[in-house]
């Protein structure tokens, strides 16, 4: 898959982190790295360039809710950690710190976090933060606290105001809701790019080949990745060599041919005849074509699959690259 040419340093915590000259920092979980996040990162980069510093994004892994509520978090992530870092690395950042989020770390007070991590470990000089951002034990930290600590520890606070953040009118929760409804077009608008599912092509039952529609069975091997509502989606499929194909992705239980109830992800690439087994594919979902259906016969299923392909080919003509 294509990577950004920008040079960005990614640190797993502080143990191997090199000294960063005049760090300009923002903090957050950044699930989805949506257009609201991108606005914050853009301002972070602009501030860093203006004052001759280096932008630093401080984020966490695993997601805090998964550590604080391991048995009941019920959280599905818009991106895997690999997908999140890939997107962040394309945002023009100079440094990314991924700090392990643990029970012990969660018990740090907001003042301890600022003093022990941002000041003593990172030697922060400037922090760019949203007006409503909360951090530290029991989310007690706030923009007001940072402004109180700034003169004590000699750093500057640049606040991103309500107008700049709220006018974007997007959140990770809204994106999850859109995906759970199958509205990937809306989710893509919020994300600023196509929602992705990445996985390895495994061996399925080869039923698609017998029906005249050979499909790649996608194994994500990630139980916290959010998978959109069952249905058939128009998709761009990117191979390991960066070649791209339009295709159809079916997400669901395959009720016509399988009564196990297992959710599968199958990709059919139009005008493609090669072998994909064992290959990593990137599925970029574009538009939901229809619901998942149970057909009375395989002939009805084949007819509908032909209709799906025709819908896709007609839609491709007007697709805006």
């Amino acid at each position: 898959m294509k990577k950004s040419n920008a040079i960005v340093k990614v640190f797993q915590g502080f143990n191997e982190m090199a000294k960063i000259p005049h760090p300009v920092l923002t903090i957050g979980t950044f699930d989805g790295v949506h257009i609201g996040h991108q606005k914050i990162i853009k301002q972070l980069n602009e501030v860093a360039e203006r004052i001759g510093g280096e932008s630093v994004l401080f984020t966490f892994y695993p997601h805090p809710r998964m550590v604080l509520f391991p048995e009941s978090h019920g959280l599905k992530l818009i991106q895997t950690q690999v997908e999140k870092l890939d997107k962040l690395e394309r945002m023009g950042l100079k440094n990314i710190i991924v700090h392990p989020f643990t029970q012990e770390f969660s018990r740090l007070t907001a003042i301890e976090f600022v003093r022990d991590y941002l000041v003593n470990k990172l030697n922060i000089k400037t922090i760019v933060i949203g007006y409503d951002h909360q951090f530290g034990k029991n989310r007690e930290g706030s923009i007001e606290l940072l402004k109180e600590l700034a003169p004590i520890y000699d750093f500057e606070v640049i606040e991103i105001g309500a107008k700049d953040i709220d006018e974007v009118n997007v959140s990770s929760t809204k994106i999850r809701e859109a995906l759970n409804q199958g509205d990937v077009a809306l989710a893509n608008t919020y994300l600023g790019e196509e929602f992705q599912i990445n996985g390895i092509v495994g061996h399925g039952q080869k039923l698609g080949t017998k029906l005249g529609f050979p499909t790649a069975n996608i194994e994500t091997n990630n139980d916290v990745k959010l998978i959109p509502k069952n249905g058939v989606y128009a998709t761009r499929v990117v191979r390991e060599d960066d070649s791209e194909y339009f295709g159809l992705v079916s997400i669901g239980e395959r009720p016509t041919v399988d009564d196990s109830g297992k959710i599968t992800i199958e990709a059919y690439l139009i005008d493609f005849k090669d072998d994909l087994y064992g290959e990593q594919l990137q599925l970029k979902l574009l538009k939901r074509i229809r619901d998942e259906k149970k057909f009375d016969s395989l002939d009805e299923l084949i007819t509908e699959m032909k209709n799906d392909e025709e819908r896709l080919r007609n839609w491709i003509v007007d697709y805006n690259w």
Side-chain angles (χ1 to χ4, degrees), residues 272-307:
F272 180 82
K273 305 297 182 184
D274 211 345
D275 184 1
L276 291 169
Y277 289 120
E279 187 169 328
Q280 176 90 21
L281 294 185
Q282 185 180 76
L283 311 180
K284 297 186 175 185
L285 275 57
L286 307 172
K287 174 185 174 66
R288 192 168 189 269
I289 291 180
R290 65 169 172 85
D291 289 337
E292 181 179 45
K293 300 177 184 178
K294 182 174 182 178
F295 298 95
D296 293 330
S297 68
L298 289 180
D299 286 340
E300 286 186 15
L301 173 59
I302 292 171
T303 298
E304 188 66 10
M305 292 171 75
K306 289 179 179 178
N307 291 337

Side-chain angles (χ1 to χ4, degrees), residues 100-112:
F101 195 91
T102 62
Q103 287 284 353
E104 180 183 7
F105 183 78
S106 74
R107 289 190 284 269
L108 285 175
T109 66
I111 292 177
E112 288 171 334

